[in-house]
Amino acid sequence: MEIDFLVSVGQSADRSGRLARRRSLSIAQRDVLGEFGAEYFDGATGYGGYYYDGRHAKAVGEMIRRYGLTPESTVLDIGCAKGFMLYEFVRRGVTQVSGCEISRYAVAQAHEGVRQELSVMGADDLSYGDDAFDFVYSIDVVHNLEPDACDRAIAEMVRVSRGTCFLQVASYETAEQEQALCDWGVTVKTFRDKNEWRCAFDRLEFRGDYFFKTF
């Protein structure tokens, strides 16, 4: 089922300045952002400062209700960045959380409330066992991999979950949305329209909830 948990995480009214900077990035600057280090999270050409502000609280509350999560539930965030969403689970009593993230910088800078639960790990080669987690989610991550690795990451998500998953990926339906994705998604490597994503989900036996993020 398509569901937008992050609808409450609004965008600023005027992003024209940030979009202009994205469009003007050199190949070298794009490559630096693709390393997902300090510049990506906290530099002027990336997020410009990726800090905890509680913006994911409502989305996490909705996830807990929808999936019936309890203090005994185990949760994995694939591509957890600095662990801010995981911290919201902990705040609500779902404390058996784990996160994996390719960025050593993000893990080192993670929220102190969950830092010890995070591991540096690629989404397409998870070290967890089969059926290890009650709930697995990944938001705006797997499309940053090349198509083959992206598919492996989705298959890994299915493997380590007990059937309950949520996946958000960037996508498009119109030519305008495709161009906007190219402009904004400077780290995106797998470009698929919504039907192509649905076909990939079927092929990879992904049966979880999902959302297609458009720009």
Side-chain angles (χ1 to χ4, degrees):
M1 177 178 178
E2 186 168 4
I3 180 170
D4 185 4
F5 284 114
L6 299 178
V7 65
S8 61
V9 183
Q11 300 285 357
S12 59
D14 184 5
R15 298 189 296 165
S16 57
R18 187 178 174 198
L19 178 58
R21 288 194 297 274
R22 286 293 177 97
R23 286 172 169 165
S24 67
L25 292 176
S26 67
I27 293 175
Q29 287 174 313
R30 288 169 179 258
D31 288 344
V32 169
L33 289 178
E35 296 172 359
F36 302 103
E39 183 63 25
Y40 177 83
F41 288 99
D42 297 320
T45 59
Y47 278 100
Y50 190 72
Y51 306 114
Y52 176 74
D53 59 8
R55 71 178 61 188
H56 298 112
K58 183 177 179 181
V60 168
E62 291 175 355
M63 287 178 173
I64 290 172
R65 287 190 292 274
R66 176 169 176 79
Y67 302 119
L69 302 179
T70 71
E72 289 71 41
S73 299
T74 52
V75 174
L76 173 65
D77 183 341
I78 299 175
C80 63
K82 296 182 181 181
F84 296 155
M85 284 197 75
L86 283 177
Y87 180 64
E88 297 298 344
F89 282 98
V90 172
R91 287 184 62 210
R92 285 155 181 76
V94 182
T95 58
Q96 298 188 62
V97 300
S98 299
C100 62
E101 168 59 48
I102 195 66
S103 171
R104 293 184 181 276
Y105 174 82
V107 171
Q109 299 294 319
H111 194 292
E112 62 182 9
V114 294
R115 188 178 301 149
Q116 296 304 312
E117 313 306 327
L118 310 187
S119 301
V120 177
M121 190 186 309
D124 61 334
D125 187 19
L126 303 179
S127 65
Y128 311 108
D130 296 354
D131 306 318
F133 297 94
D134 295 306
F135 176 51
V136 179
Y137 67 95
S138 184
I139 296 174
D140 297 341
V141 172
V142 302
H143 54 233
N144 293 320
L145 301 170
E146 297 288 353
D148 286 348
C150 175
D151 286 352
R152 289 196 301 272
I154 297 173
E156 282 287 83
M157 188 177 192
V158 172
R159 180 184 67 80
V160 302
S161 78
R162 295 175 185 146
T164 303
C165 301
F166 173 73
L167 176 63
Q168 178 169 300
V169 291
S171 189
Y172 58 90
E173 285 185 305
T174 67
E176 291 77 13
Q177 289 176 343
E178 183 178 11
Q179 183 58 55
L181 174 56
C182 291
D183 290 340
W184 280 105
V186 296
T187 61
V188 173
K189 295 180 179 178
T190 294
F191 291 85
R192 289 170 173 164
D193 65 30
K194 294 183 179 182
N195 286 331
E196 289 170 331
W197 278 115
R198 291 189 183 99
C199 288
F201 294 167
D202 287 342
R203 174 167 45 82
L204 298 165
E205 300 183 348
F206 177 83
R207 304 288 182 255
D209 292 332
Y210 57 88
F211 184 70
F212 298 126
K213 179 179 179 179
T214 57
F215 291 86

